Amino acid sequence: MTRTLRAVCTALLAAFAPLCLHAQDTTFRGITISGTYDPLHDKVNVVVLPVVGAFGDSIRAIIQRDLDFSDQVTLIPVDSTDPNSLRGAGAGGGLNYALFQRISAAAVVEITPVATGLHIALHDVAHSSVVNVGEFPLPSTGLNRDWRMGVHRASDEIVRWITGQRGIAATRIAYIRGPSIRVIDSDGADEITVPTDENGSSPAWNRAGNMLVYTTFGVSASGGASHIVAFDLATARPHLVVPPGRNGQFVGPIFSVDGSSVIYSREGENGSEMFSVPVSGGAPRQLSTSPRSTINVQPTISPDGRRIVFVSNRLGPPELYIMDADGTNVEMLTAYDFNEKNWRSDPDWSPDGRRIAFQEMVGGRFQIRTIFAAGGTPKQLTSDGENEQPSWAPDGRHLVFTSSRTGVRQLWVLDTESNRVRQLTKGAGSRIAAWSPRLAGQ
């Protein structure tokens, strides 16, 4: 079944207020690596020094895990039983660069807790010098969700110093499990259950990272049947985008790129069509037009807002179609192997605009594939168990998806360059994930 047909639960997001992450005023200088470095396939050997002070072990553990999960770094362990061995001789108090050269480290991360947060220096081992320095604020209370998110932001800047592209540790993933919308950090920690008094599903983030939109199914506390709600994370206030509909269900809402409108499908006895409506509410504008009993669902919009990929059965089996944002110039995207037994659905457009991730029935099981937005032959990314409902991380490299590979549905994260996978959730029945943009503090 597709995400649309499975979605039958929970809603209303509660109060945490992330905003989009703004880059610090630091310059990418890179790390010296012998030979030619390919950031998509080569990993940088990095040492994270022991951190002295309150919560030092936790800070180091979080940053090491974040760097590992970036899939662009290989962590090299060092013996911390004699910290003096890591330091160079003399009054300068520099690092023992000769030691780090012997263990093939290209970079060393030095973290010092200060009154306001963390002071972090990145050392280029080949040049025996510091190439980047940054100050990262942390909440005064340690080990809570906001504090951990502050450490994640530091990790993301370290990744940028090393590779030129910011990391994705300071993100969260919204998803459905049982009768609840859940939110979990990108490293699988600090899962919360969002309080709700409604049946809802398919949460989607706006590009600013400060709102979620979801749809409800069945009678709820707000009255009526299906309706669409936007939740403002900054104010912790929900409001109706599309009021309860008596003649059909609203499914798969997403925000437009500028966040001013919501695109969704309305399903009824005669099929489904896609509409756009202002976030503040108002008259919906129909985007798709097709014969009766045709399904048009699961829109995903290009990063520039110009095109929409969606699922339709207008020629028989569910396939991916692409159209202009105003509903014109519709064409099939997955025309590479048209067959009446095909089932392709749950598309998600990559942040760089190049690829569409989706699920396809392969040998009786759904698997994750990607296809270029311009069309062509897809690439299959999974084969172990059943794998569904992909959602891109903001780096355009990682995907979160639902998988049954352990015997029950859980969320997993895939690095599309190395094919490395890691389990994100531990609760059975986790599904329909949406990866947030990079988040910053209040």
Side-chain angles (χ1 to χ4, degrees):
M1 296 176 69
T2 67
R3 176 185 316 176
T4 299
L5 299 179
R6 281 199 207 87
V8 213
C9 296
T10 48
L12 215 70
L13 249 116
F16 60 93
L19 302 174
C20 272
L21 183 60
H22 298 286
Q24 288 194 322
D25 186 19
T26 51
T27 302
F28 168 63
R29 299 181 178 88
I31 294 296
T32 303
I33 304 171
S34 59
T36 302
Y37 170 64
D38 179 353
L40 291 180
H41 303 98
D42 296 335
K43 290 188 176 184
V44 181
N45 292 340
V46 176
V47 170
V48 179
L49 295 179
V51 181
V52 178
F55 311 119
D57 289 345
S58 295
I59 292 167
R60 187 188 188 209
I62 292 169
I63 288 180
Q64 286 188 126
R65 185 164 57 244
D66 290 344
L67 297 183
D68 177 34
F69 288 170
S70 77
D71 291 303
Q72 298 179 82
V73 164
T74 297
L75 292 166
I76 299 179
V78 293
D79 183 5
S80 59
T81 57
D82 181 14
N84 292 328
S85 67
L86 306 178
R87 297 287 173 184
L95 298 185
N96 185 349
Y97 290 111
L99 167 65
F100 295 114
Q101 288 174 352
R102 286 197 298 272
I103 62 176
S104 300
V108 175
V109 178
E110 184 177 18
I111 306 166
T112 306
V114 294
T116 57
L118 300 176
H119 174 91
I120 300 180
L122 180 70
H123 297 256
D124 183 337
V125 173
H127 285 88
S128 302
S129 63
V130 173
V131 289
N132 276 111
V133 174
E135 301 282 341
F136 301 88
L138 292 179
S140 57
T141 303
L143 301 180
N144 61 22
R145 294 183 81 235
D146 292 337
W147 182 89
R148 292 187 79 260
M149 185 57 68
V151 179
H152 288 320
R153 292 184 203 106
S155 299
D156 287 349
E157 189 67 2
I158 294 168
V159 171
R160 191 182 75 84
W161 290 346
I162 294 171
T163 69
Q165 183 181 26
R166 193 178 303 279
I168 55 169
T171 60
R172 288 179 172 139
I173 294 166
Y175 68 99
I176 300 295
R177 187 168 79 236
S180 303
I181 290 179
R182 314 280 179 120
V183 175
I184 195 169
D185 284 3
S186 64
D187 62 354
D190 281 343
E191 178 184 272
I192 64 168
T193 299
V194 178
T196 176
D197 61 355
E198 302 188 63
N199 294 319
S201 188
S202 300
W205 302 84
N206 68 346
R207 298 295 174 92
N210 60 358
M211 295 187 75
L212 283 151
V213 65
Y214 66 90
T215 185
T216 68
F217 290 80
V219 178
S220 72
S222 298
S226 177
H227 54 286
I228 295 175
V229 176
F231 190 88
D232 189 325
L233 295 168
T235 63
R237 293 179 180 176
H239 70 268
L240 278 176
V241 177
V242 181
R246 303 286 181 177
N247 300 313
Q249 299 279 6
F250 303 125
V251 295
I254 61 169
F255 283 99
S256 62
V257 170
D258 64 6
S260 65
S261 59
V262 171
I263 301 166
Y264 65 97
S265 294
R266 184 178 67 196
E267 290 187 339
E269 293 180 357
N270 297 319
S272 61
E273 299 291 356
M274 291 179 293
F275 296 81
S276 175
V277 65
V279 171
S280 57
R285 176 171 59 92
Q286 186 166 338
L287 298 178
S288 63
T289 302
S290 52
R292 288 169 61 90
S293 301
T294 299
I295 295 174
N296 299 279
V297 293
Q298 298 178 345
T300 179
I301 195 164
S302 64
D304 62 10
R306 295 181 178 180
R307 308 208 77 191
I308 294 173
V309 167
F310 63 101
V311 177
S312 180
N313 66 347
R314 58 188 59 198
L315 292 181
E319 296 280 1
L320 304 190
Y321 289 77
I322 191 168
M323 68 180 185
D324 292 346
D326 62 1
T328 61
N329 298 320
V330 180
E331 57 183 347
M332 187 186 294
L333 178 63
T334 49
Y336 52 84
D337 180 25
F338 186 79
N339 186 294
E340 64 179 12
K341 295 182 180 180
N342 288 348
W343 190 305
R344 294 157 180 153
S345 62
D346 295 70
D348 193 49
W349 209 311
S350 66
D352 62 9
R354 298 176 61 243
R355 293 173 293 171
I356 313 295
F358 64 101
Q359 67 182 44
E360 176 172 351
M361 187 71 74
V362 179
R365 290 183 170 185
F366 281 117
Q367 302 298 340
I368 304 299
R369 286 188 163 183
T370 58
I371 188 171
F372 285 110
T377 303
K379 177 182 179 181
Q380 185 167 327
L381 300 179
T382 62
S383 58
D384 186 6
E386 189 165 24
N387 303 279
E388 310 163 273
Q389 303 160 352
S391 175
W392 287 101
D395 63 355
R397 173 175 177 145
H398 292 85
L399 286 165
V400 62
F401 61 100
T402 305
S403 180
S404 66
R405 62 188 61 205
T406 59
V408 294
R409 281 189 168 84
Q410 299 281 7
L411 298 186
W412 290 71
V413 173
L414 166 72
D415 173 28
T416 61
E417 296 298 332
S418 67
N419 292 323
R420 177 194 182 189
V421 294
R422 61 180 173 90
Q423 188 171 339
L424 182 71
T425 60
K426 298 180 180 179
S430 301
R431 59 197 176 91
I432 313 180
W435 207 317
S436 79
R438 294 179 174 94
L439 305 176
Q442 302 179 37

